[in-house]
Amino acid sequence: MSRLRAGWSFLAAAALVAVAAYFAGAQPPFSLVLWFLAVLAVLVREPAPPRMQEEPTERMEAVEATLSQVESVLGALDLPVVVIDGDATVLAQNKAAEKAFGPLLSGLHISTRWRSPGILDMIRETIETGEPNQIEHSERLPSERVYIVRSAQVEKLAGALPQLFLLSFRDISELRRLDRMRSDFVANASHELRTPLASLRGFIETLQGPARGDPKAQERFLAIMLDQATRMSRLVDDLLSLSRLELKAHIAPDQTVDLIPVLGHVRDSLAPLAADLGVDIRLHLPEGKVEVLGDRDELVQVFENLMENGCKYGQEGKVVDVYLRHGDGAPVEVSVVDHGPGIPAEHVPRLTERFYRVSVADSRSKKGTGLGLAIVKHILTRHRARLIVRSEMGKGTDFTVRF
């Protein structure tokens, strides 16, 4: 009876066909046989498995609910993570992954986004063996980034869910950049020290040999040796300054400093150098006080570097103008402007790199270490300030400190 109840719609249709056949002229026995065959078909047919149609729907709902929970957990991570299944099909991604790599469409193979053979082979091996793997991978667009990419199998979740795998990306670009900077720094420092050391050694050997009895040669060589030793001393002092600044770069100063007496002090201390170079340092200062949060000694070092560079490299212009601007809600700015030959545009972005020189020969002739503007940058970073450089060939250069 249960089968007859389950097949009532079919039986009703068969009855309608039998009646229609009767009115169409078929003999009554034929109509009864047709009805009997329909009932028999319902009785002998295989019963449908219970909930055959409902089961896939419930399974999909369970999968979607679990993935939603996984996405909620992964969304709290700042590490880019992509969820894939055993066919390497993308199921989900967290916000960090979307920010780093853009939105990934669910249901597509992972190779639609990453075509690197290394990544695809790593994922294939993890899916086959269940063992985690990792490789180093570089992304060149939109900017060069380096990642440690790791694939791992997720422990089997409760319910009838597919096996899940996580693909995570740990950004090590900054570590690689610091490694390169450290290597470059050691190489450059070694090179800078090697030259004066080789010079000193050569002059000492000369004084011990051919110039042993030549007072005039001794006096000339000793003067050069003193100059080289002084150069090494400046270089070591600048290296130590950079090291100290790096140690406290994250600590912002909390003292109040009036910039007007600071600029006056720097101008007075550089007056002998400016006079020797035939340069006049002119201050353009407002009335009253102009105070900022800062470390006085470090700010003195900043403006000494900028004014000294203006005097040395802008010597042709004969004047270095220093402007202090503030008020009307605008940030406090100090501009050191020389009227020298200027700096080619391609060199401006790299001026604050350690040991970077526009002209090596010109820098050494002016007794520069190549670290002055790097020190300025580090000090201003600690003061939460910016260094803005504007230069025009043949008209001079403007170094502006904006607090």
Side-chain angles (χ1 to χ4, degrees):
M1 292 301 293
S2 62
R3 294 188 181 182
L4 289 173
R5 283 195 300 269
W8 71 269
S9 58
F10 179 74
L11 292 175
L16 288 174
V17 172
V19 172
Y22 173 77
F23 283 108
Q27 296 298 319
F30 177 79
S31 301
L32 292 175
V33 169
L34 187 62
W35 168 255
F36 176 76
L37 289 176
V39 172
L40 186 64
V42 170
L43 291 175
V44 301
R45 72 185 179 92
E46 287 293 327
R51 305 177 65 185
M52 179 183 292
Q53 301 301 322
E54 297 176 5
E55 192 172 295
T57 302
E58 292 184 0
R59 174 181 166 84
M60 288 303 299
E61 289 177 353
V63 171
E64 291 176 0
T66 304
L67 282 177
S68 178
Q69 294 175 357
V70 170
E71 288 183 34
S72 298
V73 174
L74 297 181
L77 298 176
D78 60 354
L79 189 74
V81 177
V82 178
V83 183
I84 60 176
D85 63 12
D87 295 325
T89 299
V90 176
L91 298 180
Q93 68 177 138
N94 65 353
K95 292 181 180 179
E98 185 174 348
K99 182 178 179 181
F101 309 117
L104 304 176
L105 295 178
S106 299
L108 296 181
H109 195 270
I110 195 71
S111 61
T112 58
R113 174 57 179 83
W114 287 280
R115 299 182 180 274
S116 165
I119 291 181
L120 297 179
D121 290 343
M122 176 190 68
I123 294 172
R124 188 179 305 112
E125 183 177 345
T126 298
I127 292 175
E128 291 174 356
T129 65
E131 297 295 323
N133 290 289
Q134 68 179 32
I135 63 168
E136 186 173 306
H137 171 70
S138 298
E139 293 268 330
R140 301 197 178 278
L141 295 173
S143 61
E144 186 172 357
R145 312 296 296 176
V146 182
Y147 296 94
I148 295 295
V149 186
R150 185 176 188 272
S151 60
Q153 179 176 318
V154 179
E155 292 296 329
K156 190 66 175 176
L157 299 172
L161 295 175
Q163 182 62 63
L164 301 181
F165 299 85
L166 292 187
L167 199 61
S168 60
F169 298 79
R170 181 160 58 91
D171 193 340
I172 59 170
S173 307
E174 191 66 17
L175 293 177
R176 288 287 181 268
R177 188 183 69 83
L178 291 175
D179 285 343
R180 286 197 298 269
M181 284 181 59
R182 190 178 297 111
S183 299
D184 293 344
F185 179 71
V186 171
N188 288 328
S190 301
H191 175 74
E192 293 294 328
L193 288 171
R194 187 183 296 116
T195 302
L197 283 173
S199 178
L200 285 174
R201 181 175 179 178
F203 285 122
I204 290 171
E205 291 174 350
T206 303
L207 290 174
Q208 289 177 335
R212 182 188 299 272
D214 188 343
K216 290 185 178 180
Q218 290 178 1
E219 183 178 355
R220 182 164 58 90
F221 291 159
L222 286 171
I224 297 174
M225 291 168 65
L226 176 62
D227 184 65
Q228 294 295 331
T230 303
R231 176 184 167 191
M232 281 196 298
S233 178
R234 287 197 305 269
L235 181 59
V236 170
D237 288 343
D238 285 350
L239 289 172
L240 291 175
S241 293
L242 273 176
S243 297
R244 285 193 295 268
L245 289 168
E246 288 175 341
L247 288 175
K248 56 182 180 180
H250 61 288
I251 304 174
D254 56 2
Q255 300 175 358
T256 301
V257 179
D258 185 359
L259 292 178
I260 291 180
V262 167
L263 295 175
H265 167 75
V266 173
R267 192 266 312 271
D268 294 341
S269 65
L270 291 177
L273 172 67
D276 291 342
L277 296 173
V279 176
D280 182 24
I281 302 176
R282 299 188 302 202
L283 300 182
H284 306 271
L285 308 176
E287 297 293 332
K289 292 183 177 182
V290 179
E291 294 181 331
V292 296
L293 290 177
D295 182 297
R296 185 182 185 280
D297 292 338
E298 290 183 1
L299 291 178
V300 166
Q301 193 173 5
V302 166
F303 297 122
E304 274 185 349
N305 267 297
L306 296 180
M307 291 188 203
E308 184 175 348
N309 284 349
C311 292
K312 289 179 177 179
Y313 300 101
Q315 183 179 359
E316 297 176 10
K318 303 298 182 183
V319 173
V320 172
D321 290 302
V322 181
Y323 299 91
L324 174 57
R325 307 180 186 92
H326 78 112
D328 298 329
V332 175
E333 290 186 348
V334 179
S335 297
V336 179
V337 183
D338 68 59
H339 305 278
I343 302 170
E346 63 269 21
H347 295 289
V348 171
R350 302 189 60 188
L351 289 177
T352 56
E353 293 181 15
R354 298 175 182 185
F355 299 111
Y356 186 81
R357 296 179 172 94
V358 175
S359 169
V360 175
D362 198 29
S363 176
R364 287 182 177 171
S365 69
K366 293 175 169 53
K367 301 180 180 180
T369 63
L371 294 172
L373 290 179
I375 291 173
V376 167
K377 178 184 176 182
H378 275 73
I379 293 175
L380 295 182
T381 299
R382 188 168 104 83
H383 283 69
R384 311 301 188 256
R386 293 177 57 200
L387 179 65
I388 303 168
V389 184
R390 305 182 185 91
S391 187
E392 188 173 349
M393 294 300 294
K395 294 187 177 181
T397 305
D398 176 348
F399 287 88
T400 296
V401 175
R402 178 178 294 167
F403 292 91

